[in-house]
């Protein structure tokens, strides 16, 4: 557990501001690497001489590895320090990027994905636990701006992928990102007030699980978050394909509509996070769920292309506005001495469940079509909203 305490919760200056900027800029660079892999898949498949199925295994490996490292990263950051987890996470990320930059076969490609996934999985809970240590009154705003980095990364990744592939091979994407991330561990070591500690750690998984599951409110919140993450994997993974198949979008237009998710997120996330500092956090989440479900319904049944794009935009508001207030609310409820471990355990659970979303849509779309598949996802928003409304009224 860290004993960091600050007097001024500044997002730009002082110790809190420097740590916030370092973690958020690093987060953007890491997320660019994660989000740039799907657009590069055709090039990767051709270069490595593999099938789409083998490429899919690599992406699944990334999701599974990332999810599996959430609890260990959070738990160790509680028991020892945030720095003890953040430094190795950055080293693993750098190793993964290094291997991705080297011409190699499929086996080394999988190893690089494994190392990068471990780094990403360790970074998330330790970074957000650090933000929780640093911010109290501005916690929602800090989470909103930090998570907005993922949307900025999505926008940049789309452009970088197109540009790099036009002038070099797909591996040319990773050396610049490597150079960008390389100073991060050194800056973190010099800046962080949390010492780097090495000692044995009690994994505490059983105690953490029992404590979380004993809280009925937390159980239902976990259901809500899992439904939300499941819907994201289901909708986003097939969105360009859905727009092309159902609404007749060209590749360029479908890609632009896909990028709209991230463009909207750069605005919606900080606004939602800041709003949750002034209004009940669950109320902000409810509004997000309503936008997500309503936008998805319009997207599915829009009679024109313009309305379909409007549906994407409204869905994007809900899609991106939910995490900052919901994560801040969870952090408010976790005990101070196990905030990283509890967040890691919850995150590991909902990410694992959410990873089934693309497989679900793929199966239903194959059997019944994309419209029934996407329509059924609206039910996830409705069910999550009903549960959250009940939780809000029950105090």
């Amino acid at each position: 557990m860290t004993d960091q305490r600050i007097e001024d919760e500044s997002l730009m200056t002082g110790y809190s501001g420097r740590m916030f900027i370092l973690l958020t800029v690093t987060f953007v660079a890491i997320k660019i690497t994660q989000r740039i892999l799907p657009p590069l898949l055709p090039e990767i498949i051709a270069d490595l001489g593999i099938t789409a199925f083998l490429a899919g295994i690599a992406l699944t490996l990334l999701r599974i590895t990332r999810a599996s490292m959430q609890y260990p990263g959070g738990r160790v950051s509680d028991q020892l320090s945030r720095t003890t987890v953040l430094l190795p996470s950055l080293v693993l990320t750098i190793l993964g990027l290094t291997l991705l930059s080297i011409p190699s076969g499929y086996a080394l490609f999988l190893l690089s994905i494994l190392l990068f996934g471990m780094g990403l999985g360790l970074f998330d809970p330790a970074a957000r636990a650090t933000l929780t240590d640093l911010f109290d009154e501005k916690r929602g705003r800090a989470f909103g701006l930090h998570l907005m980095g993922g949307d900025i990364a999505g926008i940049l990744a789309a452009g970088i992928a197109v540009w790099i592939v036009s002038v070099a091979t797909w591996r040319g994407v990773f050396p610049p990102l490597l150079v960008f991330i390389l100073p991060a561990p050194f800056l973190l070591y010099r800046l962080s007030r949390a010492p780097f500690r090495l000692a044995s750690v009690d994994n505490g998984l059983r105690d953490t699980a029992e404590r979380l599951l004993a809280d009925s409110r937390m159980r239902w919140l976990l259901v809500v978050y899992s439904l939300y993450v499941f819907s994201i994997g289901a909708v986003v993974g097939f969105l360009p394909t859905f727009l092309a198949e159902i609404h007749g979008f060209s590749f360029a237009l479908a890609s632009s509509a896909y990028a709209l998710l991230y463009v909207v997120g750069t605005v919606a996330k900080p606004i939602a996070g800041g709003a949750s500092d002034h209004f009940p956090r669950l109320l902000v989440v409810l509004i997000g769920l309503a936008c997500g479900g309503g936008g998805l319904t319009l997207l599915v049944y829009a009679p024109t292309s313009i309305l379909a794009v409007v549906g994407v935009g409204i869905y994007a508001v809900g899609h991106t506005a939910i995490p900052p207030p919901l994560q801040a609310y969870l952090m408010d409820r976790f005990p101070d001495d196990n905030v990283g471990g509890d967040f890691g355990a919850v995150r590991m659970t909902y990410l694992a469940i959410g990873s089934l979303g693309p497989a679900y849509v793929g199966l239903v779309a194959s059997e019944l079509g994309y419209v029934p598949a996407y329509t059924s996802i609206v039910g996830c928003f409705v069910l999550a909203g009903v549960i959250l409304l009940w939780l809000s009224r029950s105090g």
Side-chain angles (χ1 to χ4, degrees), residues 5-221:
R5 291 294 182 269
I6 59 171
E7 295 78 25
D8 179 24
E9 295 186 12
S10 172
L11 291 164
M12 298 298 295
T13 60
Y15 176 68
S16 63
R18 291 191 295 270
M19 286 294 294
F20 174 78
I21 292 171
L22 174 60
L23 292 176
T24 301
V25 171
T26 303
F27 177 65
V28 171
I30 293 174
K31 295 299 284 187
I32 289 176
T33 305
Q34 179 191 1
R35 298 200 188 284
I36 211 168
L37 287 172
L40 291 177
L41 276 188
E43 296 292 326
I44 294 172
I45 290 171
D47 181 57
L48 298 181
I50 60 176
T51 64
F53 174 70
L54 291 177
I57 288 178
L59 294 184
T60 299
L61 176 65
L62 176 59
R63 284 177 173 268
I64 293 174
T65 305
R66 178 193 179 197
S68 66
M69 299 305 294
Q70 297 294 311
Y71 177 74
R75 179 67 177 180
V76 173
S77 76
D78 288 333
Q79 295 287 295
L80 300 180
S81 75
R82 313 301 186 207
T83 305
T84 306
V85 176
L86 288 171
L87 282 177
S89 77
L90 294 173
V91 171
L92 287 168
T93 299
I94 290 170
L95 288 175
L97 284 171
T98 301
L99 293 181
L100 282 170
S101 305
I102 299 173
S104 62
Y106 181 65
L108 195 58
F109 175 68
L110 285 182
L111 177 60
S112 64
I113 292 295
L114 177 68
L115 292 172
F116 175 74
M118 292 174 64
L120 175 61
L122 290 172
F123 181 85
D124 285 340
R128 282 167 217 180
T130 301
L131 295 181
T132 302
D133 296 335
L134 295 173
F135 299 98
D136 184 11
E137 293 182 358
K138 297 181 181 179
R139 185 173 297 166
R141 190 181 312 172
F143 270 65
L145 290 171
H146 180 77
L147 293 174
M148 183 184 70
D151 298 288
I152 293 174
I155 298 169
L156 294 175
I160 291 172
V162 173
W163 176 69
I164 287 291
V165 169
S166 68
V167 299
T169 68
W170 63 271
R171 294 186 186 277
V173 169
F174 301 106
L177 292 171
L178 179 62
V179 171
F180 196 81
I181 296 178
L182 199 58
F186 302 99
L187 292 173
L188 177 70
Y189 185 78
R190 291 182 61 92
L191 180 59
S192 177
R193 294 177 183 174
F196 183 84
R197 298 172 181 163
L198 291 177
S200 60
V201 175
D202 175 17
N203 65 46
L205 182 58
R206 181 174 180 177
D207 291 340
T208 298
E210 289 178 349
R211 181 176 60 257
L212 291 173
L213 294 178
D215 183 348
S216 62
R217 193 174 187 84
M218 186 60 66
R219 291 199 302 268
W220 286 113
L221 286 169

Side-chain angles (χ1 to χ4, degrees), residues 272-301:
S276 74
D277 289 333
H278 301 284
F279 303 98
R281 300 200 199 278
L282 294 188
L283 174 61
V284 180
V285 177
L286 273 170
I287 295 173
L289 288 171
C291 290
L296 184 56
T297 301
L298 177 58
L299 166 63
V300 173
Y301 295 103

